[in-house]
Amino acid sequence: DAGVTQSPTHLIKTRGQHVTLRCSPISGHKSVSWYQQVLGQGPQFIFQYYEKEERGRGNFPDRFSARQFPNYSSELNVNALLLGDSALYLCASSWGDWTSETQYFGPGTRLLVL
Amino acid sequence: DQQVKQNSPSLSVQEGRISILNCDYTNSMFDYFLWYKKYPAEGPTFLISISSIKDKNEDGRFTVFLNKSAKHLSLHIVPSQPGDSAVYFCAASETGTASKLTFGTGTRLQVTL
């Protein structure tokens, strides 16, 4: 079975530009979460979507937005990119949205903002 | 405000010995804890988890211990193997926000021959 897939794998953008990152969850999983991992830190929660509704939002500015599609895939959008947005962006999926659900991560999209 | 802390950035252990990775948390609302392993250029891989109603969970070579009064958990790997060399992250969540994991900063484990 395919795991969580993310595209693109790498991306280079310049300050002020917009970026869209994509994620396909494991088949049958209805919950998708997004995390940002800056070098030397642990992943930091950005958003969670379950059944196409936003269920959680981390401490990130409004430049960050996301959505989930009817097939449960998801997009993360970042507007007006800053140098500090350079990071590994991870997508995770799980079947449901309750305690003890294990999240499975994709390989990530590495974003470099110049 | 770092709610999950891994105070040892790195750990070196000889093959065959026990590896002990530690994690402390400050949020008393956390009730589910996980350990993930991460290789370079890959996403985190789930290893083992524990609910706050337990104090120990085993899965093969991996055992996680939870001390709620001390807000401390540890991951024991016995015996350690070279393939265990990776960065290990401790993560926690609280009821009602299961998919919002709060991660520590990671511990790089190196298993030497």
Side-chain angles (χ1 to χ4, degrees), chain B residues 46-88:
Chain B
F46 170 73
L47 267 179
I48 192 168
S49 61
I50 187 167
S51 163
S52 60
I53 63 172
K54 293 185 170 184
D55 55 18
K56 178 182 174 182
N57 189 25
E58 282 182 87
D59 184 2
R61 298 187 296 114
F62 302 93
T63 303
V64 56
F65 295 91
L66 176 61
N67 183 332
K68 289 184 289 294
S69 60
K71 294 192 178 68
H72 176 83
L73 65 156
S74 60
L75 174 69
H76 292 210
I77 306 173
V78 184
S80 301
Q81 300 173 353
D84 296 330
S85 297
V87 178
Y88 288 77

Side-chain angles (χ1 to χ4, degrees), chain A residues 35 37 42 48 98-100 103 106, chain B residues 32 36 43-44 89 95 98-99 101 104:
Chain A
Y35 291 81
Q37 186 179 12
Q48 187 229 344
W98 46 83
T99 304
S100 82
Q103 292 190 64
Chain B
Y32 193 64
Y36 283 86
F89 290 98
T95 301
S99 293
L101 294 177

Side-chain angles (χ1 to χ4, degrees), chain A:
Chain A
D1 282 346
V4 177
T5 59
Q6 292 185 242
S7 63
T9 55
H10 295 82
L11 204 50
I12 300 175
K13 292 284 189 178
T14 56
R15 279 179 298 174
Q17 283 189 313
H18 162 92
V19 69
T20 298
L21 310 181
R22 295 179 174 84
C23 171
S24 291
I26 291 171
S27 178
H29 284 192
K30 300 179 180 180
S31 174
V32 170
S33 298
W34 288 94
Y35 291 81
Q36 180 197 63
Q37 186 179 12
V38 173
L39 200 61
Q41 300 293 319
Q44 199 168 359
F45 174 77
I46 310 175
F47 284 111
Q48 187 229 344
Y49 278 78
Y50 177 68
E51 287 282 19
K52 300 176 286 294
E53 291 187 1
E54 183 181 302
R55 287 295 188 95
R57 174 184 284 252
N59 190 21
F60 280 80
D62 292 343
R63 299 185 294 108
F64 288 76
S65 64
R67 55 179 175 165
Q68 186 176 34
F69 299 99
N71 67 354
Y72 302 109
S73 67
S74 178
E75 279 183 358
L76 174 70
N77 295 284
V78 187
N79 291 322
L81 285 167
L82 302 174
L83 296 180
D85 295 331
S86 296
L88 179 68
Y89 288 85
L90 294 161
C91 173
S93 76
S94 60
W95 192 83
D97 180 35
W98 46 83
T99 304
S100 82
E101 274 289 338
T102 298
Q103 292 190 64
Y104 296 90
F105 283 83
T109 293
R110 188 162 295 282
L111 172 64
L112 177 61
V113 182
L114 301 176

